[in-house]
Amino acid sequence: MIEGSIQIALTLVIVLGSTSIFGRYMAQVYQQQSTILDPIFNKIERLIYNLIGISNQQDMTGWQYAKAILYSNIVMGCLIFFILINQAWLPLNPTKIGSMTWDTALHTTISFITNTNQQHYSGETYLSYGSQIWGLGYLMFTSAATGLAVGIAFIRGLTGRPLGNFYVDLIRSITRILLPISIIGAILLMIAGVPETLAAPAVFPTLENPNISQAIARGPVAHFEIIKELGENGGGFFAINSAHPLENPNGFSNLIEIIAMLSIPTSLIYTYGIFANNRKQAWLVYSMVGIIFIIFIIITAIGEYNGNPAINAILGSTQPNLEGKEIRFGWAQSTLFTVSTTATMCGAINSLIDSFMPNGGFVTFANMFLQIIWGGQGTGTAYLFAYLILTVFATGLMVGRTPEFLGRKIEKREVVLASFLILLVHPIAIMIPAAITLAFPEQLAGISNPGFHGFAQVLYEYTSAAANNGSGLEGLGDSQPAPLAIAMGAKPTITALWWNLSTSFSLLAGRYIPIIGLLLLADSISRKPAVPFTTGTLRTDTGLFTSVTAGVIIILGALTFFPVLAFGPIGEAFWIAKGIG
């Protein structure tokens, strides 16, 4: 217990120590101040601006910014869909993998372009190296950069600045942040033992019978792995993701991946503090989120360390829950990785979330329901300050003070937009398709577990899609047969078709509706004149206000999602406690 707790604590100390350094650097990038990478990328960026016909001084309105995102994402999506359905004859296909079914290709394209990377396929048997590199790897950079651009545009608007230019923010996010760190991270992962090769799978005779051969999948994994974590993408090169020894071979690689996951969402709060010229508020908000994050780690760790009471009764002693976990990581690093991956909307896994105790199931759901602990790439920070806007309005009305945030009045339009984003879009994208699926459990759901856990499986899939997380409890019939199986006569299934199409709805609704709302909200605030600070102004950079914000977040989350949690992990916890499970 002590050793595992120390491992978790040291990792979090490293993340905390890097927050101000990385946050300050990102502020310099997005304020177009001088950075160490200017000699390398200034000329490259100017060339790109000239090729696409934009000026880095062209500011956009909220609608213009949103339309630029939608248009560019549609073009990128069409390109990647073409690659996936034609991979059989495209280069870099040493294992001669055929093309995906149209519905799996569509779901995969939407999933990766929305920064979700929900996988209804197994990478080793469904995708060529070319599809992984040109298709999914490309979207890992652009979708993460899109989220960062939205986050920084929201921060600009919140602090009274023009929103900026989407294409400039997209390009600078890649060239100044994602690409340089990914190069360094990929080298470190290769040193740790992660492969980076275009060679075909390695074939060896088995120990049991030298006449029987086994093919060991490999590929250009290292560069894919680092952007998977850094960009909060989460999609694995292999089916079992970061639990695979070639994606995450040891404790050192596991540490790199956790830090990569947490680095941008945590540091972006400090970046906000620089833009707002209010580092005090940034640290208060950071502390609020950090405390909830640590509480969630503790809740999950207690469940995993104490294990399953039914198994402990058989063994006659208390043993950690190691089902579905890699022994090289154990209960502690599996707990930290899982809480981090659902907190940051990354979705990568180094253990099977389906095997976690109900404590862990509750926390993973809570992270994706709230979306601000620490939240997705860029958008999580925006959601967080949307909660602050709601809190300003509510507390201002209660104490009779003017609802203002950073010197700008919070009025009907801002409250409607913030409420719509937080209280309506996310639940609708989850509850409606989940209700339809559960109404036809045999025809549509493909549930592999009965009772509370089967309900949680379905709810988790749509929650993960709507939150743009991508992880899953697994066990659902959501995958069409592999290309080789289809070539041998296997038929696509209605269940997998339903999952591909219905989760695509949740993916799109959970990504683009909130993005549009956030940009309109930021645009509305940026156009308001600054009002002078008076004795009647409600201060938002105090411990009291931050505590009230935490209460508002928890209350709104509980009121919205507690009923479904009661039918999922909470019900399962009581079920296990009674000795049934």
Side-chain angles (χ1 to χ4, degrees):
M1 180 67 174
I2 295 176
E3 180 183 351
S5 301
I6 292 174
Q7 290 175 354
I8 293 173
L10 289 176
T11 304
L12 297 181
V13 167
I14 294 172
V15 173
L16 176 62
S18 66
T19 294
S20 60
I21 300 171
F22 195 21
R24 188 178 300 109
Y25 171 74
M26 286 196 291
Q28 291 173 337
V29 169
Y30 292 117
Q31 290 177 336
Q32 298 198 21
Q33 297 174 353
S34 176
T35 69
I36 193 173
L37 296 177
D38 285 355
I40 302 173
F41 290 112
N42 272 347
K43 293 181 179 179
I44 296 174
E45 289 172 356
R46 281 196 294 269
L47 176 61
I48 296 173
Y49 298 152
N50 290 332
L51 287 174
I52 62 179
I54 66 163
S55 166
N56 63 353
Q57 303 300 322
Q58 288 178 327
D59 289 322
M60 293 179 170
T61 65
W63 272 117
Q64 289 173 333
Y65 208 102
K67 286 191 289 186
I69 291 173
L70 295 176
Y71 293 157
S72 62
N73 279 212
I74 289 171
V75 172
M76 288 187 285
C78 292
L79 172 64
I80 304 312
F81 181 76
F82 174 82
I83 290 174
L84 295 181
I85 62 174
N86 291 286
Q87 68 175 0
W89 57 268
L90 291 174
L92 291 184
N93 189 4
T95 50
K96 308 301 180 186
I97 295 176
S99 296
M100 287 179 159
T101 60
W102 72 267
D103 56 311
T104 304
L106 178 65
H107 174 270
T108 302
T109 300
I110 294 173
S111 180
F112 276 76
I113 207 167
T114 57
N115 200 230
T116 309
N117 297 27
Q118 189 177 53
Q119 294 175 283
H120 289 174
Y121 66 89
S122 298
E124 308 96 312
T125 55
Y126 283 69
L127 290 174
S128 67
Y129 291 174
S131 293
Q132 297 265 40
I133 296 172
W134 299 324
L136 306 189
Y138 166 70
L139 289 182
M140 281 183 168
F141 278 95
T142 57
S143 65
T146 298
L148 268 173
V150 171
I152 208 66
F154 187 84
I155 289 173
R156 289 193 189 110
L158 208 60
T159 54
R161 296 172 171 84
L163 269 59
N165 185 292
F166 167 68
Y167 299 108
V168 173
D169 292 336
L170 178 79
I171 292 166
R172 290 181 71 86
S173 295
I174 294 173
T175 59
R176 305 306 180 100
I177 297 172
L178 298 176
L179 184 60
I181 298 176
S182 293
I183 292 173
I184 297 171
I187 293 171
L188 291 175
L189 288 176
M190 284 190 284
I191 293 172
V194 179
E196 181 72 20
T197 178
L198 295 177
V203 179
F204 296 98
T206 63
L207 294 175
E208 292 84 357
N209 187 342
N211 296 319
I212 299 176
S213 298
Q214 178 182 2
I216 300 175
R218 54 184 175 176
V221 182
H223 85 277
F224 195 92
E225 186 72 12
I226 187 62
I227 189 58
K228 177 186 90 175
E229 315 293 359
L230 180 66
E232 316 305 346
N233 291 286
F237 194 93
F238 302 108
I240 59 173
N241 210 278
S242 291
H244 197 291
L246 296 186
E247 284 200 35
N248 191 7
N250 49 52
F252 177 61
S253 62
N254 195 65
L255 176 65
I256 293 172
E257 294 181 19
I258 292 176
I259 292 173
M261 266 193 287
L262 292 169
S263 59
I264 292 178
T266 55
S267 300
L268 202 58
I269 296 176
Y270 189 84
T271 301
Y272 157 81
I274 295 176
F275 269 83
N277 196 26
N278 193 340
R279 288 173 175 80
K280 177 185 177 182
Q281 184 180 45
W283 281 119
L284 284 169
V285 173
Y286 186 98
S287 300
M288 175 192 72
V289 177
I291 289 170
I292 298 175
F293 180 62
I294 291 171
I295 291 172
F296 281 176
I297 291 174
I298 292 171
I299 291 172
T300 307
I302 289 172
E304 299 312 299
Y305 181 75
N306 290 329
N308 191 320
I311 296 176
N312 290 340
I314 296 173
L315 297 175
S317 62
T318 299
Q319 297 292 328
N321 174 33
L322 295 179
E323 179 191 341
K325 295 179 176 62
E326 287 295 312
I327 300 300
R328 64 184 185 274
F329 304 134
W331 67 269
Q333 289 300 309
S334 298
T335 293
L336 178 59
F337 199 105
T338 297
V339 177
S340 298
T341 196
T342 50
T344 60
M345 303 305 128
C346 177
I349 58 168
N350 74 347
S351 56
L352 192 63
I353 298 178
D354 189 56
S355 296
F356 272 65
M357 299 301 293
N359 305 43
F362 174 86
V363 166
T364 54
F365 271 114
N367 278 331
M368 293 187 292
F369 287 152
L370 296 177
Q371 299 189 88
I372 50 95
I373 319 279
W374 302 88
Q377 188 85 316
T379 55
T381 305
Y383 272 120
L384 177 59
F385 284 96
Y387 270 111
L388 261 73
I389 289 171
L390 286 180
T391 306
V392 164
F393 185 78
T395 53
L397 292 178
M398 287 190 290
V399 301
R401 293 192 175 186
T402 305
E404 296 172 8
F405 190 74
L406 298 181
R408 286 167 177 81
K409 291 184 180 295
I410 302 302
E411 298 173 305
K412 178 183 176 181
R413 176 178 171 82
E414 292 74 45
V415 174
V416 168
L417 283 169
S419 301
F420 177 71
L421 291 173
I422 293 171
L423 301 179
L424 289 179
V425 174
H426 194 48
I428 288 172
I430 297 170
M431 305 298 189
I432 291 178
I436 296 172
T437 303
L438 289 166
F440 303 94
E442 295 181 0
Q443 297 90 339
L444 300 181
I447 300 173
S448 61
N449 285 282
F452 298 109
H453 199 77
F455 175 88
Q457 278 184 308
V458 172
L459 183 68
Y460 195 103
E461 192 75 3
Y462 289 111
T463 303
S464 174
N468 300 138
N469 177 268
S471 62
L473 291 187
E474 307 310 332
L476 298 171
D478 56 15
S479 296
Q480 296 288 17
L484 179 60
I486 290 178
M488 297 175 65
K491 300 297 182 182
T493 67
I494 295 297
T495 301
L497 175 66
W498 167 255
W499 277 114
N500 282 332
L501 297 183
S502 62
T503 51
S504 291
F505 161 77
S506 298
L507 291 165
L508 292 169
R511 176 69 165 181
Y512 294 110
I513 296 176
I515 280 179
I516 293 170
L518 289 169
L519 291 170
L520 294 180
L521 176 58
D523 193 38
S524 177
I525 294 175
S526 71
R527 296 176 184 276
K528 290 180 177 291
V531 296
F533 182 86
T534 67
T535 55
T537 303
L538 179 67
R539 294 192 64 91
T540 59
D541 57 352
T542 65
L544 176 60
F545 179 82
T546 307
S547 300
V548 173
T549 302
V552 168
I553 291 170
I554 293 170
I555 290 170
L556 289 179
L559 290 175
T560 306
F561 294 107
F562 183 81
V564 291
L565 285 172
F567 283 103
I570 295 176
E572 187 178 9
F574 282 103
W575 189 61
I576 291 176
K578 288 185 176 181
I580 303 174

